[in-house]
């Protein structure tokens, strides 16, 4: 664990580790507020959630085979790109079909997140301490899940509606993807 904390690879990956649980939690936590903002019936909106489950599970199988073929180091810099598209679509869509398309893009990243980061840590640091590394990463993700709704609620109080927040989340994922690409460059030279 101390080797990981001293590694620039971990710190370049840190925003990506934090962002997905934080903003994914906001998406589900603020769903009533979001439906109200868009003028949708909440129950009609949540009909898109089975799409999330189906795509996330399906993409997990695909990503596993892509890691075997290309490596997690090559994939990790790109797996949050669908979340960029998803949150941008959430911010601008006016229909439930648009929302469903955003859900599909977000689910691609969420399903990939179940597989790619764990394989990335194994490729970068080996498997002998993988349990300790995963517990460290899980702690970061739990903190992200707690900070997301707190931050979102605070921003709503400051008149940053969810459309604006989702654009900011998309921008955050651009930033975290750039840092993940930088982490892959460092990892490629370290491996």
């Amino acid at each position: 664990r101390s080797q990981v904390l001293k590694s620039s690879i971990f710190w370049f990956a840190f925003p990506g580790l934090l962002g997905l649980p934080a903003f994914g939690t906001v998406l589900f936590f603020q769903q009533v507020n979001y439906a109200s903002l868009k003028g949708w019936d909440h129950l009609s909106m949540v009909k898109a959630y089975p799409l999330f489950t189906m795509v996330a599970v399906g993409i997990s199988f695909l990503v596993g085979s892509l890691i075997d073929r290309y490596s997690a180091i090559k994939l990790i810099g790109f797996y949050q790109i669908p979340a960029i598209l998803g949150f941008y679509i959430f911010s601008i869509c006016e229909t439930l079909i648009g929302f469903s398309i955003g859900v599909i893009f977000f689910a691609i990243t969420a399903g990939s997140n179940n597989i790619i980061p764990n394989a990335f840590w194994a490729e970068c640091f080996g498997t002998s301490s993988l349990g300790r590394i995963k517990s460290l990463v899980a702690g970061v993700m739990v903190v992200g899940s707690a900070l997301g709704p707190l931050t979102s609620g605070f921003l709503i109080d400051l008149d940053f509606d969810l459309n604006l927040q989702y654009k900011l989340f998309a921008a955050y994922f651009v930033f975290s993807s750039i840092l993940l690409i930088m982490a892959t460059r460092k990892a490629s030279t370290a491996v």
Side-chain angles (χ1 to χ4, degrees), residues 79-135:
Y79 88 101
Q80 291 189 347
I81 291 172
I84 296 167
L85 297 170
F87 276 104
Y88 183 73
I89 290 168
F90 295 146
S91 73
I92 63 167
C93 71
E94 297 298 328
T95 66
L96 292 170
I97 292 172
F99 175 72
S100 298
I101 293 168
V103 166
I104 290 168
F105 279 116
F106 179 69
I108 292 169
T109 294
S112 300
N113 189 62
N114 294 330
I115 309 298
I116 292 175
N118 292 328
F120 178 75
W121 301 124
E123 289 176 15
C124 290
F125 299 106
T127 57
S128 63
S129 297
L130 190 57
R132 281 184 236 154
I133 294 167
K134 285 177 66 174
S135 69

Side-chain angles (χ1 to χ4, degrees), residues 34 37-38 87-88 90-92 152 155-156 158-172:
Y34 180 72
L37 175 69
K38 295 293 187 174
F87 276 104
Y88 183 73
F90 295 146
S91 73
I92 63 167
S152 179
L155 290 172
I156 288 170
L158 294 175
D159 291 328
F160 285 75
D161 69 23
L162 288 171
N163 287 332
L164 177 55
Q165 286 187 40
Y166 289 166
K167 284 179 185 158
L168 294 173
F169 296 171
Y172 180 95

Side-chain angles (χ1 to χ4, degrees), residues 1-11 125 136:
R1 211 178 322 199
S2 62
Q3 177 192 1
V4 173
L5 288 171
K6 291 176 187 172
S7 170
S8 60
I9 294 169
F10 174 78
W11 294 107
F125 299 106
L136 173 67

Side-chain angles (χ1 to χ4, degrees), residues 65-82:
S65 64
L66 290 174
I67 289 170
D68 289 341
R69 187 170 189 177
Y70 298 106
S71 88
I73 290 174
K74 290 182 180 172
L75 297 175
I76 199 165
F78 305 101
Y79 88 101
Q80 291 189 347
I81 291 172

